[in-house]
Amino acid sequence: MKSTAITMEEIFKYAKEKFGTNPEYLWAKSPNYAVLRNSKNSKWYAIVMNIPRKRLGLKSEENIDILDVKCDPILIGSLLGNKGYFPGYHINKKTWLTLLLDGSIPKDEVFNLIDFSYDLTAKKKK
């Protein structure tokens, strides 16, 4: 059973309520792309974009909303075999994961991965 698609607005609302962060729109050429920064150190923990499906190797010219999150490489390896998960789009594929926001991934999983990404970016390097 396919879950309901999650919207960018829902992600931004979640980030604001949970972490007190707001989206930042950094690129004039891509005004709908937004980053979310960890409030403790300003590191990115999520990037929301709308890209052509074909850029992910999907057969379609239609655009799709995606979310890139920081992730543990071992977890990335286990998730990539599942529907809706791709290597980080336009970012480090070893430590970032792309999620389709079309409903192929349940909302609670998306939110859990946002939480995990926030926690990963909060850690200080030793």
Side-chain angles (χ1 to χ4, degrees), residues 39-106:
S39 57
K40 297 174 183 170
N41 56 22
S42 295
K43 289 183 181 180
W44 296 4
Y45 69 91
I47 309 165
V48 180
M49 296 176 270
N50 181 273
I51 63 168
R53 288 175 178 265
K54 67 180 180 179
R55 289 196 186 158
L56 295 173
L58 301 171
K59 295 180 181 180
S60 176
E61 295 294 323
E62 287 182 342
N63 280 8
I64 189 165
D65 290 338
I66 63 169
L67 173 69
D68 280 358
V69 291
K70 185 100 173 172
C71 195
D72 179 85
I74 294 170
L75 183 56
I76 290 172
S78 67
L79 291 173
L80 287 180
N82 298 310
K83 185 176 169 117
Y85 294 96
F86 292 85
Y89 172 74
H90 215 346
I91 200 155
N92 186 321
K93 292 170 180 17
K94 291 181 181 177
T95 57
W96 285 80
L97 183 66
T98 294
L99 315 175
L100 297 184
L101 300 179
D102 65 351
S104 55
I105 303 170

